[in-house]
Amino acid sequence: MTASVISAGPIPRSGSAAQGAIELRQVSKNYGDVIAVDQLDLTVRPGEFVTLLGPSGSGKTTTMMMVAGFEEHTAGSVLIDGTPVDSLPPRERNLGVVFQNYALFPHMSALENVEFALRMRKVPRAERRQRAADALDRVGLGKMGGRKPRQLSGGQQQRVALARALVFNPAALLLDEPMAALDKRLREQMQEEIKALQKSLGISVLFVTHDQDEAMAMSDRIVVMRDGKIIQSGPPEEVYNHPLTDWVASFLGDTNLIPCTIVERNGEEAVVDLGGLGLARVRDRGADGVNYAVSIRPEHLKFSTQAAAGNGCAATLLSSTNLGATVRHRLTAGGHELQLRELSSARGAGSGPDEDLWVGWDEDRAQLLVLES
Ligand SMILES: Nc1ncnc2c1ncn2[C@@H]1O[C@H](COP(=O)(O)OP(=O)(O)OP(=O)(O)O)[C@@H](O)[C@H]1O
Ligand SMILES: [Mg+2]
């Protein structure tokens, strides 16, 4: 664990106790002919970290802007802690907001930038100085309050924006790709810090990213969006391991998609015919469609011996690529081309060219899904 720069000390509370439940009911946004957000139903529970994940143009920012009150929705209703806020201006919604372009005032110092949020809320001068200083302290910038944004690094500017969003004790935080401008290392550090801060404050967060690793690392729940709609929503492991469609499976990382026909469905399980790979028992989330496939992540395929192979069959190795920590093998089995990933340290079957090679998987790693494309 790296030491967290962001401390967990208390921020003085003002106003009523923060709850931070956010609810969107059938919210839509049209820009002329473009339906940016399409009848969205979404709930963020108090203290929950929910991430909107989706490709460019899927409506993530538009959704955030409507919750924040910077965009008016075409239909539906937004509620915060059970109260409709549709007619409230942004400042009265009690939400801390950090957008990708976090727009600090260049002529103000870091401290003044943070204080500004309180000035807008008419907090008395002496109190706001103290609270702004505390907020900067909390994000590890206690000694840099006097610097102008141009005298701060990208990561430090990002922290100022975060302090500014937190200083008035909002009920919830809206973070739209807040780390997009940071390099990978700093980004990972900030991910941990934001998560720690969120936990210590017990604040709810609606977060936007199109980086699936970031979504996996930070979220209690991932909401996958596409074309203004929610395609799937659930805890990260569930969405990753049990995607409902091939699009979700592929969007969240590499996977093997094996077309299949359904032989039998009973509740959470199905028996499918995988063609050359034979019959297999797989997980079933009940997704309905016309064409089906089974998704197995490359890291869930494994080399096995013929005797141990419950699900699986004989395979031929096509190539092996060392990626550092892992090795990616391409192979064919039962007429399907498959990818298998294992730790470089594993050096399992696959290592000798003349071996009898078998590939297998555990049945709870195979997910039946609908082929959209
Ligand atoms: N002011 C606007 N006028 C017209 N169309 C808009 C406007 N803002 C957004 N759109 C359109 O609405 C759709 C959703 O845009 P949005 O910015 O919400 O996507 P996003 O998911 O945030 O994408 P990104 O990952 O690129 O930030 C897009 O098709 C976009 O072109
Ligand atoms: Mg966006």
Side-chain angles (χ1 to χ4, degrees):
M1 272 293 283
T2 53
S4 177
V5 176
I6 295 175
S7 72
I11 280 184
R13 289 246 166 244
S14 69
S16 57
Q19 292 289 309
I22 299 170
E23 192 183 343
L24 284 81
R25 288 189 190 156
Q26 290 286 300
V27 170
S28 295
K29 177 70 186 180
N30 301 354
Y31 293 107
D33 291 344
V34 178
I35 302 175
V37 172
D38 195 1
Q39 300 180 44
L40 208 70
D41 282 313
L42 174 70
T43 304
V44 182
R45 290 186 285 272
E48 196 181 19
F49 196 116
V50 173
T51 297
L52 305 180
L53 175 68
S56 188
S58 56
K60 305 181 297 292
T61 294
T62 306
T63 301
M64 297 291 256
M65 297 293 261
M66 290 189 291
V67 175
F70 296 121
E71 279 287 359
E72 215 170 307
H73 41 276
T74 313
S77 188
V78 177
L79 295 90
I80 295 172
D81 290 327
T83 306
V85 294
D86 304 305
S87 54
L88 287 185
R91 204 178 307 151
E92 289 171 31
R93 295 191 181 195
N94 197 22
L95 300 168
V97 178
V98 180
F99 285 129
Q100 174 173 350
N101 143 24
Y102 26 81
L104 300 175
F105 296 112
H107 60 287
M108 291 185 192
S109 69
L111 187 70
E112 286 162 348
N113 263 283
V114 178
E115 241 192 283
F116 186 76
L118 296 173
R119 220 161 79 193
M120 300 304 287
R121 286 170 176 79
K122 312 239 182 306
V123 175
R125 190 187 171 84
E127 182 186 338
R128 67 181 194 240
R129 264 286 131 105
Q130 187 57 48
R131 282 173 63 181
D134 288 347
L136 277 180
D137 237 359
R138 169 173 290 272
V139 298
L141 289 183
K143 295 198 171 67
M144 300 193 189
R147 292 204 198 170
K148 298 274 167 60
R150 65 167 188 283
Q151 298 167 313
L152 296 168
S153 72
Q156 290 162 343
Q157 291 179 36
Q158 200 270 353
R159 286 163 203 266
V160 175
L162 196 57
R164 187 179 56 183
L166 284 168
V167 73
F168 57 89
N169 305 323
L173 270 183
L174 307 181
L175 307 176
D176 188 350
E177 308 225 26
M179 293 172 278
L182 308 183
D183 66 39
K184 187 170 180 299
R185 209 185 201 144
L186 196 50
R187 210 181 152 104
E188 284 173 2
Q189 188 187 343
M190 285 306 296
Q191 286 172 7
E192 285 181 19
E193 292 179 5
I194 287 178
K195 191 69 200 167
L197 188 68
Q198 181 251 340
K199 279 200 181 136
S200 76
L201 293 176
I203 196 170
S204 35
V205 174
L206 186 57
F207 187 82
V208 164
T209 184
H210 55 245
D211 176 337
Q212 55 271 35
D213 291 341
E214 190 164 281
M216 291 292 297
M218 301 194 66
S219 321
D220 296 319
R221 198 149 50 88
I222 293 179
V223 174
V224 184
M225 286 185 71
R226 182 186 184 187
D227 299 334
K229 293 194 189 65
I230 294 175
I231 305 291
Q232 188 170 352
S233 151
E237 320 74 54
E238 184 187 302
V239 180
Y240 183 80
N241 286 320
H242 305 291
L244 292 175
T245 72
D246 59 334
W247 186 85
V248 174
S250 305
F251 188 71
L252 282 174
D254 290 336
T255 196
N256 293 293
L257 290 169
I258 308 163
C260 69
T261 52
I262 296 174
V263 177
E264 198 182 300
R265 296 180 98 161
N266 351 291
E268 308 254 288
E269 263 184 25
V271 177
V272 296
D273 186 343
L274 295 172
L277 284 169
L279 292 182
R281 199 174 291 278
V282 298
R283 295 290 139 219
D284 186 359
R285 294 263 148 166
D288 263 323
V290 178
N291 297 308
Y292 293 90
V294 165
S295 162
I296 307 172
R297 299 281 179 196
E299 67 271 27
H300 295 149
L301 277 180
K302 51 193 182 185
F303 293 119
S304 63
T305 61
Q306 181 170 0
N311 288 312
C313 74
T316 307
L317 191 61
L318 299 176
S319 67
S320 298
T321 309
N322 194 325
L323 303 171
T326 61
V327 181
R328 182 181 62 216
H329 303 282
R330 285 199 311 118
L331 40 95
T332 56
H336 298 285
E337 194 172 320
L338 303 173
Q339 256 194 63
L340 181 156
R341 191 168 312 149
E342 63 181 357
L343 294 175
S344 306
S345 53
R347 303 308 304 149
S351 38
D354 296 330
E355 274 179 87
D356 277 342
L357 192 62
W358 282 70
V359 65
W361 63 89
D362 295 335
E363 74 182 40
D364 61 348
R365 295 302 197 182
Q367 174 64 46
L368 177 68
L369 50 69
V370 171
L371 275 179
E372 280 188 277
S373 32

